[in-house]
Amino acid sequence: MTENSRPLAVFDLDNTLADTAHRQKYLVGKARDWDAFFAAAPRDPPLARGVELALASAEECEVVYLTGRPERCRADTEDWLARQGLPGGRVWMRRDGDRRPARRTKLEILRSLARDREIRVLVDDDELVCDDAERAGFTVVRATWGTESEPLKTAQETEGRT
């Protein structure tokens, strides 16, 4: 079986593979510090359950990553994935300046991927992304093992930031 014929396992990053608890302080209050929030991402500890699931998925699937992080964070994100020993795979990121809700941007990419490949599973912590993906017919694993954060939920859905 070639890499291009294997089904895809699609993983979110923040609060799915990466523990963002230490940097959520930058999202509290009206003056959110997005530069500091993203600058702290390379120090995210891995979330063991998410990492285990990604490694197990790699046995049958090609693992790829779908994040709401902006494109300007690509180098830090790819370095972080490699340091955690996660499977190498393509990373889809939000275009810089794209402020659409995460559920819209992610579903758009999932549908595009599904045109050419079977998507075995989406693993994500965002309830709205998960709901919309399930309604669209995708199999979803809800990442409930991260630290829940109202500011992060707001950022994902209404501010289009991550």
Side-chain angles (χ1 to χ4, degrees), residues 68-103:
R69 292 179 185 183
E71 183 65 38
R72 70 180 183 275
C73 299
R74 180 170 293 280
D76 285 344
T77 298
E78 291 176 343
D79 289 347
W80 185 89
L81 289 165
R83 282 196 323 273
Q84 307 317 312
L86 285 155
R90 183 158 178 199
V91 180
W92 277 270
M93 303 184 85
R94 181 188 295 275
R95 290 184 321 271
D96 290 334
D98 182 350
R99 297 290 186 263
R100 293 176 296 156
R103 66 181 183 200

Side-chain angles (χ1 to χ4, degrees), residues 42-78:
R43 295 186 300 280
D44 289 352
L47 289 167
R49 179 68 188 115
V51 171
E52 290 166 7
L53 191 54
L55 293 172
S57 295
E59 294 176 17
E60 294 184 15
C61 299
E62 178 183 349
V63 174
V64 298
Y65 305 95
L66 176 57
T67 180
R69 292 179 185 183
E71 183 65 38
R72 70 180 183 275
C73 299
R74 180 170 293 280
D76 285 344
T77 298
E78 291 176 343

Side-chain angles (χ1 to χ4, degrees), residues 34-47:
W34 290 105
D35 290 337
F37 178 77
F38 289 119
R43 295 186 300 280
D44 289 352
L47 289 167

Side-chain angles (χ1 to χ4, degrees), residues 85-121:
L86 285 155
R90 183 158 178 199
V91 180
W92 277 270
M93 303 184 85
R94 181 188 295 275
R95 290 184 321 271
D96 290 334
D98 182 350
R99 297 290 186 263
R100 293 176 296 156
R103 66 181 183 200
R104 287 189 50 214
T105 59
K106 287 186 175 184
L107 196 59
E108 179 180 291
I109 292 169
L110 284 171
R111 286 182 169 138
S112 176
L113 291 172
R115 282 188 222 122
D116 299 321
R117 301 282 289 280
E118 172 195 349
I119 296 179
R120 178 77 48 89
V121 66

